[in-house]
Every structure is written in C-alpha cells, then in structure tokens.
Amino acid sequence: MAIDKEAIKMHIRGILEALGDNPDREGLKETPERVARMYEEVFEGMNYSNAQIAEMFGKTFEEGMEFQQNAQDIVVVKDIEVFSYCEHHLALMYDMKVSVAYFPKKKIIGLSKIARIADMVSKRLQLQERIGSDIAQIMEMVTESEDIAVLIEGSHSCMTARGIRNASAKTYTTTLRGRFEREPELLNYFK
C-alpha cells in the first residue's frame, strides 16, 4: 500500500478549515504539503507487512553458530529509541525505549537489524502492545527462535498533552515468548 500524499494534502487542508483557520494564509500555505511529506516518512512502516519487514532486515549469520537447545547464550539489545503514533488519537508516543532479547537457535541477526525492525514497526499507526508483538513476531521469523522478549517504555501524548494531562506518566509493556514466558527470572537480563 502506497501512502496517498495527494489525499493527505486535501484532508489536512480540510482540517485547517475545520479548525477555523485559513489554509491560504502565509504560515499555512505549504502546511498540507509538509504534513504529507512528514506522514510519508513517519508512517513508512504502513507500507509493509511483518513478513516483508522480516525479509527486508532478515540477513542472518549461520555458519559456525552452534547453539545448545538449553544454553544460556542470550542476545539483548536495550534502549532502542523509537516513536510512534497512537491509532486511537493519532497522538505521538514518544521517549520510547525498546529492549529486545532472544536465545539464538540456528541464526544470529545483526544487532543493527534489531533496531531497524523496531523502528520500522513503530512507523505505523500503533498501540504500544502491538509494537512489542510485531517485533517479537518478526524476530521469530528472522532468527527461527521462539524464545523472544520485547520490553517497551514510553510516554503517550494522549495522556500527557490532553485528557488527564499527566506529564510524568509512562507506559510499560512486555511481550514474552518461549523461555521468557516460562522462566520469568530471565527478565533479569534486562536490568
């Protein structure tokens, strides 16, 4: 699915009018175009399914990677910074930090690919819970490991800038698969 920039421009112009402003005034003349370009960038992930993202960032290393089934060899990447937009209010989810861990089985993924997966998944209209679930699903597709954990911390402007207006509120979500679900003590790796 390609993002329809022309439709976005038309609708942003309509929103400006609905807000009671003049979209032809100096400060707003180019706003619909700017917003359309921004949306194309910040919602890039909407162009791809989880399977397509797994294919895009699926380069792995297999040769010489011998792992025992119950070994404690673990990969943890902490504090990947992302942002997203809440699908309920189109409000910014910010100051988000994603941590991902997995037990390698047959394949090792490049560390930067984990951050790229988190970034691309976040570039959708999202829920924080689904971001974790999508990252876990893609990591499982790429690494062929079912032992995956995704922890996310974030602020939501739908809570900090409107509604309750609680600027210090943070949301924490965990997505646990395989051994992380069965052995909660493994979450100590995230400390």
Side-chain angles (χ1 to χ4, degrees):
M1 167 193 100
I3 293 174
D4 187 343
K5 285 176 51 179
E6 291 305 313
I8 291 170
K9 289 192 299 193
M10 179 188 70
H11 291 293
I12 293 298
R13 182 177 175 82
I15 289 170
L16 293 172
E17 290 170 347
L19 290 171
D21 213 326
N22 175 7
D24 293 319
R25 74 174 171 82
E26 185 60 35
L28 293 179
K29 274 194 279 193
E30 296 176 20
T31 296
E33 173 65 33
R34 283 191 295 266
V35 171
R37 283 194 319 267
M38 179 186 80
Y39 279 8
E40 186 176 47
E41 179 182 336
V42 301
F43 294 123
E44 178 187 8
M46 295 182 74
N47 292 317
Y48 308 104
S49 68
N50 284 353
Q52 289 169 317
I53 293 171
E55 188 176 316
M56 287 168 58
F57 303 119
K59 175 152 178 56
T60 59
F61 307 97
E62 301 173 42
E63 190 174 314
M65 301 294 174
E66 310 299 327
F67 296 99
Q68 296 175 5
Q69 237 6 38
N70 294 318
Q72 293 300 317
D73 296 333
I74 187 171
V75 176
V76 180
V77 178
K78 290 176 60 173
D79 298 333
I80 301 165
E81 293 183 1
V82 299
F83 68 89
S84 192
Y85 287 86
C86 166
E87 67 183 33
H88 295 149
H89 298 98
L90 301 184
L92 186 64
M93 295 187 284
Y94 61 98
D95 289 341
M96 296 182 81
K97 292 186 178 164
V98 176
S99 297
V100 179
Y102 75 103
F103 282 91
K105 295 288 195 263
K106 301 173 187 166
K107 298 179 178 182
I108 300 286
I109 185 173
L111 299 177
S112 70
K113 300 296 188 255
I114 297 171
R116 290 179 192 280
I117 290 167
D119 181 64
M120 189 61 77
V121 162
S122 299
K123 289 181 175 180
R124 298 172 170 166
L125 292 174
Q126 275 288 21
L127 299 173
Q128 185 169 319
E129 299 88 340
R130 189 180 316 116
I131 292 171
S133 179
D134 286 348
I135 292 168
Q137 182 183 45
I138 294 166
M139 287 293 295
E140 188 171 348
M141 286 183 219
V142 172
T143 66
E144 297 181 17
S145 173
E146 68 278 356
D147 303 322
I148 298 180
V150 181
L151 282 67
I152 304 174
E153 168 189 331
S155 297
H156 295 239
S157 62
C158 56
M159 284 185 59
T160 62
R162 61 156 299 280
I164 190 72
R165 291 190 184 104
N166 188 322
S168 63
K170 293 215 180 268
T171 300
Y172 297 85
T173 56
T174 59
T175 304
L176 307 175
R177 304 285 188 264
R179 287 181 63 190
F180 288 101
E181 191 172 24
R182 294 187 305 273
E183 303 171 42
E185 66 276 9
L186 293 173
L187 294 179
N188 289 329
Y189 285 106
F190 286 94
K191 293 181 180 177

